[in-house]
Structure formats: structure tokens, C-alpha cells
Short mmCIF file of all heavy atoms in Angstrom, two decimals:
data_model
loop_
_atom_site.label_atom_id
_atom_site.label_comp_id
_atom_site.label_asym_id
_atom_site.label_seq_id
_atom_site.Cartn_x
_atom_site.Cartn_y
_atom_site.Cartn_z
N MET W 1 -80.30 -2.97 -11.60
CA MET W 1 -80.44 -2.76 -10.19
C MET W 1 -79.13 -2.84 -9.38
O MET W 1 -78.82 -2.03 -8.51
CB MET W 1 -81.35 -3.91 -9.66
CG MET W 1 -81.60 -3.92 -8.16
SD MET W 1 -82.63 -2.69 -7.69
CE MET W 1 -82.70 -2.86 -5.95
N ALA W 2 -78.34 -3.67 -9.80
CA ALA W 2 -77.00 -3.89 -9.09
C ALA W 2 -76.10 -2.61 -9.50
O ALA W 2 -75.36 -2.17 -8.61
CB ALA W 2 -76.40 -5.17 -9.63
N LYS W 3 -76.17 -2.15 -10.74
CA LYS W 3 -75.45 -0.94 -11.06
C LYS W 3 -75.82 0.26 -10.28
O LYS W 3 -75.03 1.02 -9.83
CB LYS W 3 -75.55 -0.68 -12.58
CG LYS W 3 -74.79 -1.67 -13.39
CD LYS W 3 -74.87 -1.28 -14.91
CE LYS W 3 -74.05 -2.28 -15.73
NZ LYS W 3 -74.21 -1.95 -17.16
N SER W 4 -77.10 0.37 -10.09
CA SER W 4 -77.66 1.64 -9.33
C SER W 4 -77.18 1.48 -7.88
O SER W 4 -76.79 2.45 -7.19
CB SER W 4 -79.18 1.78 -9.56
OG SER W 4 -79.74 0.62 -8.94
N PHE W 5 -77.17 0.21 -7.32
CA PHE W 5 -76.75 0.12 -5.96
C PHE W 5 -75.26 0.44 -5.88
O PHE W 5 -74.77 1.05 -4.88
CB PHE W 5 -77.02 -1.37 -5.54
CG PHE W 5 -76.58 -1.67 -4.14
CD1 PHE W 5 -77.21 -1.11 -3.09
CD2 PHE W 5 -75.37 -2.37 -3.92
CE1 PHE W 5 -76.80 -1.37 -1.74
CE2 PHE W 5 -74.91 -2.72 -2.65
CZ PHE W 5 -75.59 -2.17 -1.51
N LEU W 6 -74.49 -0.03 -6.79
CA LEU W 6 -73.06 0.34 -6.83
C LEU W 6 -72.82 1.87 -6.84
O LEU W 6 -71.95 2.33 -6.22
CB LEU W 6 -72.40 -0.45 -7.95
CG LEU W 6 -70.89 -0.26 -8.01
CD1 LEU W 6 -70.11 -0.84 -6.78
CD2 LEU W 6 -70.30 -0.97 -9.28
N VAL W 7 -73.58 2.48 -7.76
CA VAL W 7 -73.39 3.95 -7.85
C VAL W 7 -73.75 4.65 -6.60
O VAL W 7 -72.97 5.60 -6.10
CB VAL W 7 -74.31 4.43 -9.05
CG1 VAL W 7 -74.29 6.03 -9.04
CG2 VAL W 7 -73.70 3.97 -10.37
N VAL W 8 -74.84 4.27 -5.92
CA VAL W 8 -75.20 4.80 -4.67
C VAL W 8 -74.17 4.56 -3.56
O VAL W 8 -73.75 5.45 -2.76
CB VAL W 8 -76.61 4.31 -4.26
CG1 VAL W 8 -76.93 4.81 -2.83
CG2 VAL W 8 -77.63 4.80 -5.17
N LEU W 9 -73.60 3.40 -3.57
CA LEU W 9 -72.60 2.91 -2.57
C LEU W 9 -71.32 3.83 -2.84
O LEU W 9 -70.75 4.28 -1.89
CB LEU W 9 -72.32 1.53 -2.73
CG LEU W 9 -71.18 1.01 -1.78
CD1 LEU W 9 -71.67 1.04 -0.26
CD2 LEU W 9 -70.89 -0.47 -2.11
N LEU W 10 -70.88 4.07 -3.99
CA LEU W 10 -69.82 4.84 -4.27
C LEU W 10 -69.99 6.35 -3.84
O LEU W 10 -69.09 6.91 -3.32
CB LEU W 10 -69.41 4.82 -5.79
CG LEU W 10 -68.82 3.49 -6.25
CD1 LEU W 10 -68.60 3.49 -7.77
CD2 LEU W 10 -67.51 3.13 -5.57
N PHE W 11 -71.18 6.78 -4.14
CA PHE W 11 -71.50 8.20 -3.62
C PHE W 11 -71.42 8.36 -2.11
O PHE W 11 -70.96 9.39 -1.63
CB PHE W 11 -72.83 8.71 -4.16
CG PHE W 11 -72.88 9.17 -5.54
CD1 PHE W 11 -73.72 8.70 -6.45
CD2 PHE W 11 -72.00 10.20 -5.86
CE1 PHE W 11 -73.69 9.14 -7.85
CE2 PHE W 11 -71.91 10.76 -7.19
CZ PHE W 11 -72.76 10.16 -8.09
N LEU W 12 -71.93 7.30 -1.46
CA LEU W 12 -71.86 7.38 0.06
C LEU W 12 -70.45 7.28 0.59
O LEU W 12 -70.12 7.98 1.49
CB LEU W 12 -72.67 6.20 0.62
CG LEU W 12 -74.22 6.30 0.52
CD1 LEU W 12 -74.91 5.01 0.96
CD2 LEU W 12 -74.77 7.47 1.31
N LEU W 13 -69.62 6.39 -0.06
CA LEU W 13 -68.23 6.39 0.41
C LEU W 13 -67.42 7.62 0.07
O LEU W 13 -66.55 8.02 0.83
CB LEU W 13 -67.58 5.10 -0.39
CG LEU W 13 -67.97 3.72 0.08
CD1 LEU W 13 -67.31 2.69 -0.69
CD2 LEU W 13 -67.68 3.58 1.59
N ALA W 14 -67.78 8.23 -1.03
CA ALA W 14 -67.17 9.47 -1.47
C ALA W 14 -67.48 10.60 -0.50
O ALA W 14 -66.68 11.41 -0.16
CB ALA W 14 -67.52 9.92 -2.90
N GLY W 15 -68.73 10.66 -0.04
CA GLY W 15 -69.18 11.61 1.00
C GLY W 15 -68.49 11.41 2.31
O GLY W 15 -68.30 12.41 3.03
N CYS W 16 -68.11 10.30 2.63
CA CYS W 16 -67.50 10.02 4.02
C CYS W 16 -65.99 10.45 3.97
O CYS W 16 -65.35 10.66 4.99
CB CYS W 16 -67.64 8.60 4.40
SG CYS W 16 -69.35 8.09 4.82
N SER W 17 -65.42 10.48 2.79
CA SER W 17 -63.97 10.76 2.80
C SER W 17 -63.63 12.12 3.18
O SER W 17 -62.49 12.44 3.47
CB SER W 17 -63.41 10.45 1.35
OG SER W 17 -64.01 11.42 0.39
N GLY W 18 -64.58 13.08 3.07
CA GLY W 18 -64.26 14.43 3.36
C GLY W 18 -64.60 14.84 4.92
O GLY W 18 -64.37 15.92 5.35
N VAL W 19 -64.97 13.90 5.69
CA VAL W 19 -65.25 14.08 7.02
C VAL W 19 -63.94 14.12 7.83
O VAL W 19 -63.11 13.23 7.71
CB VAL W 19 -66.08 12.92 7.68
CG1 VAL W 19 -66.35 13.12 9.10
CG2 VAL W 19 -67.46 12.87 6.88
N PRO W 20 -63.62 15.19 8.59
CA PRO W 20 -62.46 15.25 9.31
C PRO W 20 -62.37 14.32 10.39
O PRO W 20 -63.35 13.93 11.06
CB PRO W 20 -62.50 16.70 9.88
CG PRO W 20 -63.87 17.08 9.89
CD PRO W 20 -64.62 16.46 8.81
N ARG W 21 -61.16 13.89 10.79
CA ARG W 21 -60.92 12.93 11.88
C ARG W 21 -61.00 13.64 13.17
O ARG W 21 -60.72 14.85 13.23
CB ARG W 21 -59.58 12.30 11.69
CG ARG W 21 -59.45 11.38 10.53
CD ARG W 21 -58.18 10.60 10.43
NE ARG W 21 -57.00 11.50 10.77
CZ ARG W 21 -55.81 11.09 10.80
NH1 ARG W 21 -55.47 9.92 10.58
NH2 ARG W 21 -54.81 11.89 11.02
N ALA W 22 -61.41 12.88 14.25
CA ALA W 22 -61.38 13.46 15.62
C ALA W 22 -60.00 13.75 16.03
O ALA W 22 -59.12 12.89 15.77
CB ALA W 22 -62.13 12.53 16.49
N PRO W 23 -59.73 14.86 16.79
CA PRO W 23 -58.46 15.07 17.21
C PRO W 23 -57.93 14.00 18.31
O PRO W 23 -58.86 13.49 19.03
CB PRO W 23 -58.48 16.37 17.85
CG PRO W 23 -60.02 16.74 18.11
CD PRO W 23 -60.74 15.87 17.12
N ASP W 24 -56.70 13.78 18.47
CA ASP W 24 -56.19 12.74 19.27
C ASP W 24 -55.87 13.48 20.58
O ASP W 24 -55.07 14.36 20.70
CB ASP W 24 -54.90 12.19 18.70
CG ASP W 24 -54.27 11.14 19.58
OD1 ASP W 24 -54.94 10.71 20.44
OD2 ASP W 24 -53.03 10.71 19.35
N ALA W 25 -56.56 13.11 21.63
CA ALA W 25 -56.52 13.77 22.99
C ALA W 25 -55.18 13.47 23.61
O ALA W 25 -54.73 14.14 24.57
CB ALA W 25 -57.64 13.32 23.87
N SER W 26 -54.46 12.43 23.24
CA SER W 26 -53.24 12.09 23.83
C SER W 26 -52.07 12.92 23.14
O SER W 26 -50.91 12.96 23.63
CB SER W 26 -52.86 10.60 23.70
OG SER W 26 -52.68 10.33 22.31
N SER W 27 -52.38 13.62 22.09
CA SER W 27 -51.41 14.49 21.44
C SER W 27 -51.05 15.79 22.20
O SER W 27 -52.05 16.41 22.78
CB SER W 27 -51.79 14.78 19.98
OG SER W 27 -51.05 15.78 19.49
N PRO W 28 -49.86 16.25 22.30
CA PRO W 28 -49.59 17.51 22.99
C PRO W 28 -50.16 18.65 22.14
O PRO W 28 -50.37 19.84 22.66
CB PRO W 28 -48.06 17.62 23.06
CG PRO W 28 -47.50 16.51 22.15
CD PRO W 28 -48.69 15.56 21.97
N CYS W 29 -50.48 18.43 20.90
CA CYS W 29 -51.15 19.47 20.09
C CYS W 29 -52.57 19.69 20.36
O CYS W 29 -53.18 20.70 19.94
CB CYS W 29 -50.89 19.14 18.60
SG CYS W 29 -49.15 19.12 18.17
N TYR W 30 -53.16 18.75 20.98
CA TYR W 30 -54.66 18.85 21.37
C TYR W 30 -54.84 20.06 22.27
O TYR W 30 -55.87 20.74 22.18
CB TYR W 30 -54.99 17.58 22.06
CG TYR W 30 -56.58 17.50 22.33
CD1 TYR W 30 -57.42 17.33 21.36
CD2 TYR W 30 -56.92 17.56 23.63
CE1 TYR W 30 -58.84 17.33 21.69
CE2 TYR W 30 -58.36 17.58 24.00
CZ TYR W 30 -59.26 17.42 23.09
OH TYR W 30 -60.54 17.37 23.27
N ALA W 31 -53.99 20.24 23.25
CA ALA W 31 -54.24 21.35 24.22
C ALA W 31 -53.67 22.66 23.77
O ALA W 31 -54.26 23.69 23.96
CB ALA W 31 -53.64 20.94 25.60
N ASN W 32 -52.46 22.59 23.12
CA ASN W 32 -51.79 23.86 22.72
C ASN W 32 -50.97 23.66 21.52
O ASN W 32 -49.90 22.98 21.55
CB ASN W 32 -50.91 24.29 23.93
CG ASN W 32 -50.29 25.62 23.64
OD1 ASN W 32 -50.60 26.38 22.71
ND2 ASN W 32 -49.48 26.03 24.64
N GLU W 33 -51.39 24.28 20.43
CA GLU W 33 -50.70 24.15 19.19
C GLU W 33 -49.33 24.80 19.20
O GLU W 33 -48.44 24.46 18.40
CB GLU W 33 -51.53 24.77 18.10
CG GLU W 33 -52.75 23.92 17.62
CD GLU W 33 -52.37 22.79 16.72
OE1 GLU W 33 -51.37 22.93 15.92
OE2 GLU W 33 -53.13 21.81 16.60
N ALA W 34 -49.11 25.78 19.97
CA ALA W 34 -47.85 26.52 20.01
C ALA W 34 -46.87 26.04 20.92
O ALA W 34 -45.82 26.60 21.15
CB ALA W 34 -48.26 28.02 20.36
N SER W 35 -47.16 24.93 21.67
CA SER W 35 -46.25 24.45 22.68
C SER W 35 -44.99 23.75 21.94
O SER W 35 -45.10 23.29 20.85
CB SER W 35 -46.91 23.42 23.60
OG SER W 35 -47.24 22.24 22.85
N TYR W 36 -43.90 23.70 22.77
CA TYR W 36 -42.65 22.97 22.26
C TYR W 36 -42.98 21.62 21.94
O TYR W 36 -42.43 21.06 20.94
CB TYR W 36 -41.57 23.18 23.26
CG TYR W 36 -40.26 22.56 22.89
CD1 TYR W 36 -39.48 23.11 21.90
CD2 TYR W 36 -39.98 21.30 23.44
CE1 TYR W 36 -38.32 22.46 21.54
CE2 TYR W 36 -38.72 20.72 23.11
CZ TYR W 36 -37.98 21.23 22.15
OH TYR W 36 -36.77 20.62 21.73
N GLU W 37 -43.61 20.97 22.81
CA GLU W 37 -43.90 19.44 22.53
C GLU W 37 -44.69 19.27 21.26
O GLU W 37 -44.47 18.30 20.63
CB GLU W 37 -44.73 18.97 23.79
CG GLU W 37 -43.90 18.86 25.12
CD GLU W 37 -43.89 20.12 25.77
OE1 GLU W 37 -44.69 21.04 25.47
OE2 GLU W 37 -43.13 20.24 26.77
N CYS W 38 -45.70 20.14 21.00
CA CYS W 38 -46.41 20.00 19.78
C CYS W 38 -45.59 20.19 18.50
O CYS W 38 -45.65 19.49 17.52
CB CYS W 38 -47.57 21.04 19.73
SG CYS W 38 -48.60 21.03 18.35
N GLN W 39 -44.68 21.22 18.58
CA GLN W 39 -43.74 21.47 17.54
C GLN W 39 -42.93 20.20 17.31
O GLN W 39 -42.60 19.84 16.07
CB GLN W 39 -42.88 22.66 17.75
CG GLN W 39 -43.76 23.95 17.88
CD GLN W 39 -44.69 24.17 16.72
OE1 GLN W 39 -44.28 24.06 15.53
NE2 GLN W 39 -45.97 24.45 17.08
N VAL W 40 -42.37 19.61 18.33
CA VAL W 40 -41.52 18.36 18.21
C VAL W 40 -42.31 17.25 17.62
O VAL W 40 -41.76 16.55 16.66
CB VAL W 40 -40.96 17.96 19.56
CG1 VAL W 40 -40.37 16.68 19.51
CG2 VAL W 40 -39.99 19.04 20.09
N GLU W 41 -43.56 17.11 18.01
CA GLU W 41 -44.38 16.03 17.40
C GLU W 41 -44.57 16.31 15.93
O GLU W 41 -44.54 15.40 15.17
CB GLU W 41 -45.72 15.97 18.21
CG GLU W 41 -46.66 14.88 17.64
CD GLU W 41 -47.91 14.75 18.33
OE1 GLU W 41 -47.96 14.97 19.53
OE2 GLU W 41 -48.94 14.35 17.74
N ARG W 42 -44.92 17.54 15.56
CA ARG W 42 -45.15 17.84 14.26
C ARG W 42 -43.94 17.59 13.29
O ARG W 42 -44.00 17.01 12.19
CB ARG W 42 -45.53 19.31 14.01
CG ARG W 42 -46.91 19.69 14.62
CD ARG W 42 -47.90 19.78 13.64
NE ARG W 42 -49.16 20.30 14.29
CZ ARG W 42 -50.28 19.68 14.42
NH1 ARG W 42 -50.36 18.41 13.85
NH2 ARG W 42 -51.30 20.23 14.97
N TYR W 43 -42.71 17.90 13.83
CA TYR W 43 -41.51 17.66 13.21
C TYR W 43 -41.22 16.17 13.04
O TYR W 43 -40.90 15.80 11.96
CB TYR W 43 -40.32 18.28 14.07
CG TYR W 43 -38.95 17.99 13.49
CD1 TYR W 43 -38.47 18.78 12.34
CD2 TYR W 43 -38.19 16.96 13.99
CE1 TYR W 43 -37.21 18.47 11.91
CE2 TYR W 43 -36.87 16.80 13.40
CZ TYR W 43 -36.41 17.51 12.34
OH TYR W 43 -35.21 17.21 11.84
N ARG W 44 -41.51 15.41 14.02
CA ARG W 44 -41.32 13.87 13.87
C ARG W 44 -42.31 13.28 12.98
O ARG W 44 -42.00 12.37 12.25
CB ARG W 44 -41.44 13.25 15.31
CG ARG W 44 -40.31 13.62 16.18
CD ARG W 44 -40.37 13.04 17.52
NE ARG W 44 -39.24 13.27 18.38
CZ ARG W 44 -39.27 13.19 19.63
NH1 ARG W 44 -40.30 12.83 20.35
NH2 ARG W 44 -38.12 13.58 20.30
N ASN W 45 -43.52 13.82 12.98
CA ASN W 45 -44.54 13.28 11.97
C ASN W 45 -44.20 13.58 10.54
O ASN W 45 -44.38 12.80 9.62
CB ASN W 45 -45.94 13.86 12.34
CG ASN W 45 -46.52 13.30 13.54
OD1 ASN W 45 -46.07 12.28 13.98
ND2 ASN W 45 -47.51 13.92 14.05
N VAL W 46 -43.57 14.77 10.22
CA VAL W 46 -43.09 15.13 8.90
C VAL W 46 -41.99 14.15 8.50
O VAL W 46 -42.01 13.84 7.31
CB VAL W 46 -42.79 16.54 8.86
CG1 VAL W 46 -42.11 16.89 7.56
CG2 VAL W 46 -44.01 17.39 9.02
N ASN W 47 -41.18 13.88 9.36
CA ASN W 47 -39.87 13.05 8.99
C ASN W 47 -40.04 11.62 9.00
O ASN W 47 -39.10 10.95 8.84
CB ASN W 47 -38.72 13.58 9.89
CG ASN W 47 -38.31 14.97 9.53
OD1 ASN W 47 -38.35 15.36 8.39
ND2 ASN W 47 -37.96 15.72 10.51
N ASN W 48 -41.32 11.16 9.31
CA ASN W 48 -41.46 9.71 9.38
C ASN W 48 -41.85 9.17 8.03
O ASN W 48 -42.31 9.59 7.14
CB ASN W 48 -42.62 9.30 10.32
CG ASN W 48 -42.10 9.38 11.73
OD1 ASN W 48 -40.87 9.24 11.94
ND2 ASN W 48 -42.91 9.48 12.77
#
């Protein structure tokens, strides 16, 4: 019983890992991906 519960729990957790995160409305990329501010944010995120 405990093993089957553990297997089901692992399947549920694995299913949630593929759900995309909600976009951050405070990010300059939320409104316009091609803006200069968005490009600067992407550059800073890569180099952190």
C-alpha cells in the first residue's frame, strides 16, 4: 500500500514539473520582447 502511494505521488510530482511558470508582469519582457530593456534584462539574467 505504501509503495503504491509513493509511486502515485512521484507520478503526480513528475506531471507538475512540465507546467510552465506564469510570466512576471514586472518584467520589461512581459509587454515587449524586442525592447531594449528586455534585451538588457535577458543579458543580465544570463550573466548571473
